[in-house]
Amino acid sequence: MKRLTNRVALVTSSTRGIGLACAKRLAAEGALVYLAARSEEAALNVIRSVQEDGGRAKFVYFNAREPETYSAMIEAAVQNEGRLDILVNNYGGTDVRLDHNVTEGDTEAFFRVLEDNVRSVYLSAKAAIPHMEKGGGGSIVNISSVGSVVPDLSRTAYAVSKTAVNALTQCIAVQYAHRKIRCNAVLPGLTATRAALDNMSDSFRSSFLKHVPLGRIAAPEDIAAAAAFFAGDDASYITGTLLEVAGGFALPTPMYGDLMEGRFPNYL
Ligand code: NAP
């Protein structure tokens, strides 16, 4: 049975990667999905593919570099449909050329990434919540990162910004639970999207995978499945949750990779 029939959803940055997978999954579950994107052409390709699969999707303009488009995209969807039930805040990222450790990282870029990623949740939630309240409730799903809970040697701005997204997720959850608005975050591990693959050498990837118990990089669909779960009524008693979808990354003993390679045969 489709879990999101008659729901109106909006997914930011849904022309590729995790956002695209979320949009397709929500549409497959029966929701009418607004693709909030900066390229109408790219969104139209997605709409065609959603329609071929029997789903419904529409385009609304959104560009994270134009902050006024956060409220404009929400207002446009609500004006057309009369309601908004599901908001997936997927937009986010960093500039790996500038986002290093604290001493070597670019200071301006640090604060730019912080603002960019936090704003992407704050402004859209601010615009959507009053409409969700009027509609009797809703579900906000924020795409954070496992990097928000596992400190790294680099990408400081990214980690700090996603940690702030986690905090914002839980503030929204607590502040609007009495209005039947739930807010949860999905924390993806390394996921096979252009953003991740472009920034990573093959040797880094295979070394990284030694520390992922499930032994593979996530597919965008793995992340979308968690987002769809939070969006629907199966999660009606779940709010403020930060769910790692990371194949068990950083869960085992720090010696996991060495042990699995059999470097200490008498240990197991
Ligand atoms: P991706 O594959 O690179 O896709 C990026 C999306 O963002 C595209 O749809 C792109 O649209 C859009 N975008 C870029 N700049 C934009 C702007 N200024 N305004 C509006 N849209 C813009 O990225 P992804 O890997 O799926 O990442 C999605 C989310 O998952 C991010 O929040 C990221 O931090 C998080 N995440 C990813 C991973 C991973 O390993 N991939 C891991 C943890 C968390 P165009 O088609 O117009 O370029």
mmCIF file of all heavy atoms in Angstrom, residues 13-19 38-39 42 62-65 90-93 143-146 158 162 188-191 193-196, ligand 1:
data_model
loop_
_atom_site.group_PDB
_atom_site.id
_atom_site.type_symbol
_atom_site.label_atom_id
_atom_site.label_comp_id
_atom_site.label_asym_id
_atom_site.label_seq_id
_atom_site.Cartn_x
_atom_site.Cartn_y
_atom_site.Cartn_z
ATOM 1 N N SER A 13 16.665 20.798 -3.886
ATOM 2 C CA SER A 13 17.810 20.283 -4.658
ATOM 3 C C SER A 13 17.612 18.828 -5.059
ATOM 4 O O SER A 13 18.377 17.935 -4.670
ATOM 5 C CB SER A 13 19.111 20.446 -3.846
ATOM 6 O OG SER A 13 19.314 21.799 -3.577
ATOM 7 N N SER A 14 16.574 18.604 -5.842
ATOM 8 C CA SER A 14 16.167 17.223 -6.138
ATOM 9 C C SER A 14 16.372 16.840 -7.598
ATOM 10 O O SER A 14 15.673 15.989 -8.127
ATOM 11 C CB SER A 14 14.702 17.031 -5.714
ATOM 12 O OG SER A 14 13.946 18.196 -5.911
ATOM 13 N N THR A 15 17.351 17.462 -8.261
ATOM 14 C CA THR A 15 17.607 17.105 -9.658
ATOM 15 C C THR A 15 18.579 15.938 -9.789
ATOM 16 O O THR A 15 18.680 15.319 -10.835
ATOM 17 C CB THR A 15 18.183 18.306 -10.432
ATOM 18 O OG1 THR A 15 19.299 18.818 -9.688
ATOM 19 C CG2 THR A 15 17.137 19.389 -10.612
ATOM 20 N N ARG A 16 19.342 15.671 -8.726
ATOM 21 C CA ARG A 16 20.237 14.505 -8.757
ATOM 22 C C ARG A 16 20.579 14.082 -7.330
ATOM 23 O O ARG A 16 20.142 14.722 -6.363
ATOM 24 C CB ARG A 16 21.493 14.771 -9.582
ATOM 25 C CG ARG A 16 22.254 15.996 -9.210
ATOM 26 C CD ARG A 16 23.319 16.307 -10.288
ATOM 27 N NE ARG A 16 23.766 17.672 -10.205
ATOM 28 C CZ ARG A 16 24.754 18.094 -9.445
ATOM 29 N NH1 ARG A 16 25.417 17.240 -8.702
ATOM 30 N NH2 ARG A 16 25.105 19.364 -9.422
ATOM 31 N N GLY A 17 21.330 12.996 -7.234
ATOM 32 C CA GLY A 17 21.830 12.543 -5.938
ATOM 33 C C GLY A 17 20.725 12.155 -4.963
ATOM 34 O O GLY A 17 19.689 11.600 -5.339
ATOM 35 N N ILE A 18 20.967 12.466 -3.698
ATOM 36 C CA ILE A 18 20.047 12.061 -2.632
ATOM 37 C C ILE A 18 18.689 12.750 -2.777
ATOM 38 O O ILE A 18 17.642 12.126 -2.573
ATOM 39 C CB ILE A 18 20.698 12.383 -1.259
ATOM 40 C CG1 ILE A 18 21.907 11.450 -1.028
ATOM 41 C CG2 ILE A 18 19.682 12.277 -0.124
ATOM 42 C CD1 ILE A 18 22.766 11.799 0.180
ATOM 43 N N GLY A 19 18.694 14.018 -3.165
ATOM 44 C CA GLY A 19 17.427 14.746 -3.339
ATOM 45 C C GLY A 19 16.555 14.109 -4.406
ATOM 46 O O GLY A 19 15.337 13.950 -4.230
ATOM 47 N N ARG A 38 17.173 24.791 -9.010
ATOM 48 C CA ARG A 38 17.551 26.024 -9.715
ATOM 49 C C ARG A 38 17.470 25.855 -11.217
ATOM 50 O O ARG A 38 17.453 26.832 -11.955
ATOM 51 C CB ARG A 38 18.947 26.465 -9.295
ATOM 52 C CG ARG A 38 20.014 25.425 -9.560
ATOM 53 C CD ARG A 38 21.369 25.856 -9.046
ATOM 54 N NE ARG A 38 22.333 24.777 -9.241
ATOM 55 C CZ ARG A 38 23.614 24.868 -8.981
ATOM 56 N NH1 ARG A 38 24.094 25.983 -8.498
ATOM 57 N NH2 ARG A 38 24.426 23.851 -9.190
ATOM 58 N N SER A 39 17.427 24.602 -11.689
ATOM 59 C CA SER A 39 17.352 24.365 -13.128
ATOM 60 C C SER A 39 16.007 23.726 -13.492
ATOM 61 O O SER A 39 15.747 22.570 -13.151
ATOM 62 C CB SER A 39 18.506 23.453 -13.570
ATOM 63 O OG SER A 39 18.183 22.843 -14.807
ATOM 64 N N ALA A 42 16.486 20.612 -15.772
ATOM 65 C CA ALA A 42 16.844 19.380 -15.056
ATOM 66 C C ALA A 42 15.629 18.824 -14.321
ATOM 67 O O ALA A 42 15.387 17.607 -14.307
ATOM 68 C CB ALA A 42 17.981 19.648 -14.073
ATOM 69 N N PHE A 62 14.083 27.302 -6.941
ATOM 70 C CA PHE A 62 14.798 27.480 -5.670
ATOM 71 C C PHE A 62 16.279 27.561 -5.965
ATOM 72 O O PHE A 62 16.819 26.731 -6.691
ATOM 73 C CB PHE A 62 14.513 26.286 -4.742
ATOM 74 C CG PHE A 62 15.566 26.079 -3.683
ATOM 75 C CD1 PHE A 62 15.749 27.018 -2.676
ATOM 76 C CD2 PHE A 62 16.385 24.957 -3.691
ATOM 77 C CE1 PHE A 62 16.735 26.845 -1.708
ATOM 78 C CE2 PHE A 62 17.367 24.767 -2.722
ATOM 79 C CZ PHE A 62 17.539 25.710 -1.730
ATOM 80 N N ASN A 63 16.911 28.591 -5.408
ATOM 81 C CA ASN A 63 18.366 28.678 -5.504
ATOM 82 C C ASN A 63 18.890 29.088 -4.132
ATOM 83 O O ASN A 63 18.535 30.155 -3.622
ATOM 84 C CB ASN A 63 18.777 29.713 -6.559
ATOM 85 C CG ASN A 63 20.280 29.680 -6.813
ATOM 86 O OD1 ASN A 63 21.064 29.317 -5.923
ATOM 87 N ND2 ASN A 63 20.686 30.045 -8.014
ATOM 88 N N ALA A 64 19.693 28.225 -3.543
ATOM 89 C CA ALA A 64 20.176 28.462 -2.179
ATOM 90 C C ALA A 64 20.988 29.751 -2.080
ATOM 91 O O ALA A 64 21.158 30.293 -0.986
ATOM 92 C CB ALA A 64 21.006 27.273 -1.719
ATOM 93 N N ARG A 65 21.503 30.231 -3.215
ATOM 94 C CA ARG A 65 22.265 31.490 -3.204
ATOM 95 C C ARG A 65 21.336 32.705 -3.218
ATOM 96 O O ARG A 65 21.797 33.839 -3.136
ATOM 97 C CB ARG A 65 23.183 31.554 -4.426
ATOM 98 C CG ARG A 65 24.210 30.465 -4.482
ATOM 99 C CD ARG A 65 25.458 30.829 -3.654
ATOM 100 N NE ARG A 65 26.357 29.691 -3.563
ATOM 101 C CZ ARG A 65 26.292 28.754 -2.621
ATOM 102 N NH1 ARG A 65 25.385 28.843 -1.660
ATOM 103 N NH2 ARG A 65 27.122 27.744 -2.602
ATOM 104 N N ASN A 90 17.097 18.927 1.736
ATOM 105 C CA ASN A 90 18.214 18.118 1.245
ATOM 106 C C ASN A 90 19.428 18.972 0.870
ATOM 107 O O ASN A 90 20.558 18.510 0.942
ATOM 108 C CB ASN A 90 17.746 17.303 0.033
ATOM 109 C CG ASN A 90 18.914 16.691 -0.722
ATOM 110 O OD1 ASN A 90 19.586 15.793 -0.217
ATOM 111 N ND2 ASN A 90 19.189 17.188 -1.926
ATOM 112 N N TYR A 91 19.191 20.228 0.475
ATOM 113 C CA TYR A 91 20.311 21.072 0.028
ATOM 114 C C TYR A 91 21.412 21.122 1.100
ATOM 115 O O TYR A 91 21.121 21.212 2.297
ATOM 116 C CB TYR A 91 19.852 22.507 -0.280
ATOM 117 C CG TYR A 91 21.026 23.402 -0.554
ATOM 118 C CD1 TYR A 91 21.637 23.405 -1.807
ATOM 119 C CD2 TYR A 91 21.580 24.185 0.466
ATOM 120 C CE1 TYR A 91 22.759 24.173 -2.046
ATOM 121 C CE2 TYR A 91 22.707 24.954 0.234
ATOM 122 C CZ TYR A 91 23.293 24.946 -1.025
ATOM 123 O OH TYR A 91 24.413 25.696 -1.237
ATOM 124 N N GLY A 92 22.655 21.100 0.682
ATOM 125 C CA GLY A 92 23.773 21.267 1.613
ATOM 126 C C GLY A 92 25.069 20.820 0.975
ATOM 127 O O GLY A 92 25.064 20.147 -0.052
ATOM 128 N N GLY A 93 26.177 21.220 1.581
ATOM 129 C CA GLY A 93 27.470 20.794 1.052
ATOM 130 C C GLY A 93 28.583 21.674 1.572
ATOM 131 O O GLY A 93 28.402 22.449 2.513
ATOM 132 N N ILE A 143 18.344 16.467 5.793
ATOM 133 C CA ILE A 143 19.451 15.588 5.405
ATOM 134 C C ILE A 143 20.737 16.181 6.003
ATOM 135 O O ILE A 143 21.255 17.195 5.530
ATOM 136 C CB ILE A 143 19.565 15.441 3.870
ATOM 137 C CG1 ILE A 143 18.221 14.973 3.265
ATOM 138 C CG2 ILE A 143 20.692 14.461 3.536
ATOM 139 C CD1 ILE A 143 17.702 13.636 3.753
ATOM 140 N N SER A 144 21.192 15.543 7.057
ATOM 141 C CA SER A 144 22.415 15.967 7.744
ATOM 142 C C SER A 144 23.575 15.135 7.205
ATOM 143 O O SER A 144 23.667 14.892 5.995
ATOM 144 C CB SER A 144 22.203 15.788 9.248
ATOM 145 O OG SER A 144 23.364 16.105 9.971
ATOM 146 N N SER A 145 24.438 14.645 8.072
ATOM 147 C CA SER A 145 25.571 13.805 7.643
ATOM 148 C C SER A 145 26.122 13.073 8.854
ATOM 149 O O SER A 145 26.118 13.617 9.965
ATOM 150 C CB SER A 145 26.674 14.679 7.050
ATOM 151 O OG SER A 145 27.864 13.916 6.901
ATOM 152 N N VAL A 146 26.639 11.875 8.636
ATOM 153 C CA VAL A 146 27.269 11.157 9.744
ATOM 154 C C VAL A 146 28.511 11.931 10.207
ATOM 155 O O VAL A 146 28.944 11.807 11.354
ATOM 156 C CB VAL A 146 27.584 9.699 9.336
ATOM 157 C CG1 VAL A 146 28.827 9.617 8.474
ATOM 158 C CG2 VAL A 146 27.711 8.796 10.537
ATOM 159 N N TYR A 158 31.872 21.922 7.301
ATOM 160 C CA TYR A 158 30.793 20.987 6.977
ATOM 161 C C TYR A 158 30.296 20.289 8.240
ATOM 162 O O TYR A 158 29.094 20.241 8.504
ATOM 163 C CB TYR A 158 31.302 19.957 5.961
ATOM 164 C CG TYR A 158 30.255 19.015 5.441
ATOM 165 C CD1 TYR A 158 29.213 19.473 4.645
ATOM 166 C CD2 TYR A 158 30.302 17.660 5.739
ATOM 167 C CE1 TYR A 158 28.248 18.603 4.153
ATOM 168 C CE2 TYR A 158 29.347 16.782 5.254
ATOM 169 C CZ TYR A 158 28.322 17.266 4.462
ATOM 170 O OH TYR A 158 27.362 16.396 3.985
ATOM 171 N N LYS A 162 26.583 20.775 9.943
ATOM 172 C CA LYS A 162 25.621 19.661 10.021
ATOM 173 C C LYS A 162 25.291 19.353 11.488
ATOM 174 O O LYS A 162 24.184 18.887 11.789
ATOM 175 C CB LYS A 162 26.162 18.431 9.304
ATOM 176 C CG LYS A 162 26.248 18.590 7.776
ATOM 177 C CD LYS A 162 24.888 18.711 7.113
ATOM 178 C CE LYS A 162 24.964 18.570 5.596
ATOM 179 N NZ LYS A 162 23.644 18.633 4.939
ATOM 180 N N PRO A 188 23.381 10.597 6.487
ATOM 181 C CA PRO A 188 23.973 9.627 5.547
ATOM 182 C C PRO A 188 25.464 9.441 5.794
ATOM 183 O O PRO A 188 26.171 10.381 6.163
ATOM 184 C CB PRO A 188 23.756 10.273 4.173
ATOM 185 C CG PRO A 188 22.791 11.392 4.382
ATOM 186 C CD PRO A 188 22.957 11.825 5.799
ATOM 187 N N GLY A 189 25.922 8.223 5.563
ATOM 188 C CA GLY A 189 27.353 7.987 5.433
ATOM 189 C C GLY A 189 27.738 8.265 3.990
ATOM 190 O O GLY A 189 26.963 8.865 3.226
ATOM 191 N N LEU A 190 28.905 7.795 3.603
ATOM 192 C CA LEU A 190 29.369 8.018 2.226
ATOM 193 C C LEU A 190 28.352 7.433 1.236
ATOM 194 O O LEU A 190 28.036 6.250 1.297
ATOM 195 C CB LEU A 190 30.736 7.358 2.045
ATOM 196 C CG LEU A 190 31.411 7.529 0.689
ATOM 197 C CD1 LEU A 190 31.567 9.001 0.343
ATOM 198 C CD2 LEU A 190 32.769 6.833 0.692
ATOM 199 N N THR A 191 27.842 8.301 0.365
ATOM 200 C CA THR A 191 26.753 7.919 -0.545
ATOM 201 C C THR A 191 27.189 8.177 -1.985
ATOM 202 O O THR A 191 27.815 9.212 -2.272
ATOM 203 C CB THR A 191 25.485 8.741 -0.214
ATOM 204 O OG1 THR A 191 25.200 8.590 1.173
ATOM 205 C CG2 THR A 191 24.286 8.269 -1.029
ATOM 206 N N THR A 193 26.983 9.666 -4.825
ATOM 207 C CA THR A 193 26.454 10.783 -5.608
ATOM 208 C C THR A 193 27.643 11.520 -6.222
ATOM 209 O O THR A 193 28.784 11.297 -5.820
ATOM 210 C CB THR A 193 25.675 11.776 -4.726
ATOM 211 O OG1 THR A 193 26.610 12.417 -3.845
ATOM 212 C CG2 THR A 193 24.602 11.085 -3.913
ATOM 213 N N ARG A 194 27.325 12.424 -7.148
ATOM 214 C CA ARG A 194 28.418 13.137 -7.805
ATOM 215 C C ARG A 194 29.263 13.912 -6.785
ATOM 216 O O ARG A 194 30.492 13.925 -6.839
ATOM 217 C CB ARG A 194 27.862 14.105 -8.860
ATOM 218 C CG ARG A 194 28.948 14.569 -9.807
ATOM 219 C CD ARG A 194 28.560 15.799 -10.578
ATOM 220 N NE ARG A 194 27.457 15.563 -11.502
ATOM 221 C CZ ARG A 194 26.899 16.541 -12.205
ATOM 222 N NH1 ARG A 194 27.311 17.785 -12.084
ATOM 223 N NH2 ARG A 194 25.910 16.271 -13.028
ATOM 224 N N ALA A 195 28.577 14.557 -5.804
ATOM 225 C CA ALA A 195 29.300 15.357 -4.804
ATOM 226 C C ALA A 195 30.333 14.505 -4.087
ATOM 227 O O ALA A 195 31.468 14.939 -3.861
ATOM 228 C CB ALA A 195 28.313 15.947 -3.798
ATOM 229 N N ALA A 196 29.946 13.297 -3.723
ATOM 230 C CA ALA A 196 30.853 12.446 -2.954
ATOM 231 C C ALA A 196 31.942 11.860 -3.857
ATOM 232 O O ALA A 196 33.129 11.893 -3.515
ATOM 233 C CB ALA A 196 30.064 11.330 -2.285
HETATM 234 P P1 NAP B 1 24.763 16.077 -5.281
HETATM 235 O O1 NAP B 1 24.586 14.722 -5.831
HETATM 236 O O2 NAP B 1 25.994 16.836 -5.628
HETATM 237 O O3 NAP B 1 23.502 16.955 -5.707
HETATM 238 C C1 NAP B 1 23.520 18.277 -5.366
HETATM 239 C C2 NAP B 1 22.147 18.879 -5.629
HETATM 240 O O4 NAP B 1 22.157 20.208 -5.111
HETATM 241 C C3 NAP B 1 21.818 18.957 -7.108
HETATM 242 O O5 NAP B 1 20.443 18.703 -7.291
HETATM 243 C C4 NAP B 1 22.150 20.428 -7.431
HETATM 244 O O6 NAP B 1 21.368 20.956 -8.475
HETATM 245 C C5 NAP B 1 21.735 21.085 -6.137
HETATM 246 N N1 NAP B 1 22.320 22.406 -5.933
HETATM 247 C C6 NAP B 1 23.628 22.744 -5.979
HETATM 248 N N2 NAP B 1 23.759 24.076 -5.753
HETATM 249 C C7 NAP B 1 22.497 24.570 -5.586
HETATM 250 C C8 NAP B 1 21.968 25.845 -5.315
HETATM 251 N N3 NAP B 1 22.746 26.935 -5.202
HETATM 252 N N4 NAP B 1 20.632 25.981 -5.172
HETATM 253 C C9 NAP B 1 19.814 24.931 -5.307
HETATM 254 N N5 NAP B 1 20.243 23.676 -5.558
HETATM 255 C C10 NAP B 1 21.578 23.503 -5.693
HETATM 256 O O7 NAP B 1 24.660 16.091 -3.663
HETATM 257 P P2 NAP B 1 24.308 14.898 -2.641
HETATM 258 O O8 NAP B 1 25.548 14.122 -2.407
HETATM 259 O O9 NAP B 1 23.069 14.207 -3.089
HETATM 260 O O10 NAP B 1 24.011 15.697 -1.279
HETATM 261 C C11 NAP B 1 22.696 15.982 -0.860
HETATM 262 C C12 NAP B 1 22.681 16.184 0.643
HETATM 263 O O11 NAP B 1 23.182 14.999 1.289
HETATM 264 C C13 NAP B 1 23.549 17.332 1.144
HETATM 265 O O12 NAP B 1 22.903 17.999 2.216
HETATM 266 C C14 NAP B 1 24.803 16.625 1.653
HETATM 267 O O13 NAP B 1 25.495 17.363 2.638
HETATM 268 C C15 NAP B 1 24.188 15.357 2.224
HETATM 269 N N6 NAP B 1 25.139 14.241 2.371
HETATM 270 C C16 NAP B 1 25.713 13.640 1.275
HETATM 271 C C17 NAP B 1 26.605 12.582 1.463
HETATM 272 C C18 NAP B 1 27.262 11.874 0.310
HETATM 273 O O14 NAP B 1 28.155 11.043 0.560
HETATM 274 N N7 NAP B 1 26.838 12.113 -0.914
HETATM 275 C C19 NAP B 1 26.914 12.147 2.761
HETATM 276 C C20 NAP B 1 26.329 12.783 3.845
HETATM 277 C C21 NAP B 1 25.443 13.823 3.639
HETATM 278 P P3 NAP B 1 21.912 21.201 -9.993
HETATM 279 O O15 NAP B 1 21.445 19.985 -10.754
HETATM 280 O O16 NAP B 1 21.231 22.458 -10.407
HETATM 281 O O17 NAP B 1 23.399 21.331 -9.933
#
